[in-house]
Amino acid sequence: MPSLTATQLLSLSVLLMSTTMSNSMPIHIQWEELFERQASNCYPLSLDQAKQLPGWGKLEQYAKDTWGEGGWNIVTNPEDFRDRPANACIEVARVPLQWSQQPQCSKSTAEIQGKSVGTTTKVAFDIEQGTEAKTSLSVTRSSSITNTVSFNIGFSLPGGLDAGVDTSFSTTLTNEQSKTTENTSGKINKQHYEFDNEDGKQCKMTVETSDCAATAVGRVPVVAKGFVWFNYEDRRAPKADPNGGEHYKYSASIEEVLNEAERTSWIDVQGPVNTVTKANYETNCVKAGAGKKAAPKKKGGEKEKEGGKKPSSGASAPPKKGEPNAPEPKGKDPKKPGPKAPAAKPKPARK
Ligand SMILES: *[C@@H]1O[C@H](CO)[C@@H](O)[C@H](O)[C@H]1NC(C)=O
């Protein structure tokens, strides 16, 4: 075996160290995450509800095949076997929605003139920008294996909306026919811009609004878990073990006898999704303060003043004080060799 160099040894020890660390610290976090994920909503499953399971017949047949026919009393959640209950659980954290009606979008554009600020030559704008998605979901079919329970659940919208919408949200859903729940995700903010008025140029902003309407559908699985008890009128041994111990009461595991589909009863939801996206760009505007201080003009920066469209950060952060609204020319970075590409090349406000 070749001997290890000092560097190799060092990296080996670093590797070992990081392994040890990842074994101790993050596991703690993982447990917490697991716990959150496992915070499922489970509700006691009554016999009548169990009988609504798609696979109920199969479960009964399993009991007959395993312990035989004859008089029996079927129960769930018996007092004398609390360690073998039956539940209906909503375990998914997020349900993906689908379009039953594809998004229909329309666009409109509005020009906004700036307001003079006091007696100065400044011009100011208060403009809305951002994206908002409003979703209203109604229960079109409730699950038959649980009561009128309410629980928190996440939904995610499919693609196709005319904007970079925040496509997931959470809401309180109630297992009740026609019950509606709403959520608004994303946000439209008012943004304040200030520019210097330059002689002979009219600084203005254009706001583009895009509205989309669609209909979404989704299914929330409610899954049965645990045991169903078959209490026979007479003591008996299992059919497979005729000489084995005799009992009155036998329990069948729902998870072991039924597959996922056979023990799932869905909550179906459907409803409208409406999104509004507002983006803006400026024309002929000079960033406040840029002219007066005779700030050194970069070559690329000249382009801004030619009256071309210049994006002003669609739904992103507001321009910071003292920084041009347009992206900084890349060539300014002393670490990077100056790129040939013109700096303040207008980017589209939205993709
Ligand atoms: C809407 O969804 C967001 C994001 O998941 C959540 O923080 C908020 O509480 C929800 N609002 C309502 C009213 O459920």
Side-chain angles (χ1 to χ4, degrees):
M1 187 181 161
S3 64
L4 298 168
T5 66
T7 320
Q8 280 170 331
L9 273 175
L10 184 66
S11 51
L12 188 66
S13 67
V14 167
L15 194 73
L16 284 173
M17 206 168 79
S18 60
T19 311
T20 318
M21 280 174 65
S22 68
N23 272 345
S24 52
M25 279 173 51
I27 277 192
H28 192 66
I29 297 160
Q30 274 173 8
W31 274 114
E32 279 172 23
E33 281 171 356
L34 262 180
F35 185 74
E36 271 193 8
R37 279 177 148 261
Q38 283 175 351
S40 59
N41 307 284
C42 288
Y43 309 95
L45 182 72
S46 72
L47 178 64
D48 283 345
Q49 287 163 349
K51 284 181 174 173
Q52 301 300 314
L53 286 172
W56 176 254
K58 189 177 170 185
L59 201 71
E60 267 193 346
Q61 191 57 50
Y62 171 85
K64 286 177 188 166
D65 294 345
T66 313
W67 305 297
E69 309 214 16
W72 64 19
N73 180 32
I74 309 172
V75 299
T76 57
N77 296 304
E79 298 250 318
D80 46 348
F81 291 102
R82 288 195 183 275
D83 58 331
R84 292 206 158 189
N87 283 298
C89 298
I90 296 114
E91 293 185 311
V92 287
R94 179 168 297 165
V95 169
L97 295 170
Q98 289 176 344
W99 298 134
S100 62
Q101 253 169 36
Q102 288 293 322
Q104 303 283 316
C105 298
S106 64
K107 268 190 192 132
S108 64
T109 307
E111 266 187 11
I112 297 175
Q113 303 297 329
K115 258 196 206 146
S116 294
V117 180
T119 55
T120 69
T121 58
K122 282 202 175 60
V123 60
F125 298 88
D126 286 298
I127 285 175
E128 288 185 323
Q129 63 182 37
T131 297
E132 204 171 77
K134 198 178 207 171
T135 308
S136 170
L137 294 174
S138 296
V139 174
T140 53
R141 200 173 75 174
S142 59
S143 168
S144 51
I145 65 164
T146 191
N147 299 330
T148 313
V149 294
S150 297
F151 51 91
N152 276 319
I153 189 155
F155 289 100
S156 55
L157 294 170
L161 295 164
D162 200 18
V165 196
D166 176 9
T167 53
S168 54
F169 59 92
S170 61
T171 195
T172 305
L173 192 66
T174 302
N175 183 40
E176 186 181 353
Q177 187 81 20
S178 310
K179 188 88 176 178
T180 300
T181 179
E182 289 187 354
N183 191 290
T184 303
S185 54
K187 198 166 196 306
I188 292 185
N189 298 299
K190 250 214 172 113
Q191 197 70 59
H192 185 79
Y193 293 104
E194 278 191 13
F195 300 101
D196 280 337
N197 247 335
E198 263 211 348
D199 279 350
K201 297 203 168 163
Q202 203 186 11
C203 171
K204 67 183 178 191
M205 294 201 84
T206 307
V207 176
E208 261 182 17
T209 304
S210 169
D211 294 279
C212 298
T215 307
V217 287
R219 312 192 82 194
V220 180
V222 184
V223 184
K225 307 178 80 168
F227 298 86
V228 173
W229 285 88
F230 296 88
N231 299 340
Y232 288 89
E233 283 167 3
D234 57 312
R235 286 167 84 104
R236 57 184 61 206
K239 286 176 93 172
D241 183 18
N243 299 319
E246 292 184 346
H247 300 279
Y248 286 105
K249 300 178 177 182
Y250 287 98
S251 64
S253 159
I254 298 171
E255 286 107 309
E256 275 170 31
V257 178
L258 305 183
N259 66 32
E260 188 99 9
E262 290 164 344
R263 56 193 160 93
T264 302
S265 168
W266 306 83
I267 302 173
D268 290 338
V269 294
Q270 174 173 345
V273 178
N274 289 285
T275 64
V276 179
T277 300
K278 288 177 184 286
N280 59 72
Y281 54 85
E282 71 214 44
T283 312
N284 281 341
C285 297
V286 178
K287 176 67 197 167
K292 276 182 192 151
K293 282 197 172 175
K297 298 246 158 69
K298 293 133 209 149
K299 271 172 198 159
E302 293 297 325
K303 208 162 189 178
E304 296 171 8
K305 298 168 66 190
E306 304 303 336
K309 277 183 180 182
K310 196 158 61 75
S312 63
S313 62
S316 62
K320 281 182 215 114
K321 214 176 158 191
E323 263 180 33
N325 207 28
E328 281 282 311
K330 287 236 171 69
K332 193 190 150 204
D333 190 341
K335 280 171 210 158
K336 285 181 191 167
K340 280 178 207 143
K345 192 174 180 186
K347 271 195 291 180
R350 297 178 303 100
K351 278 171 200 167

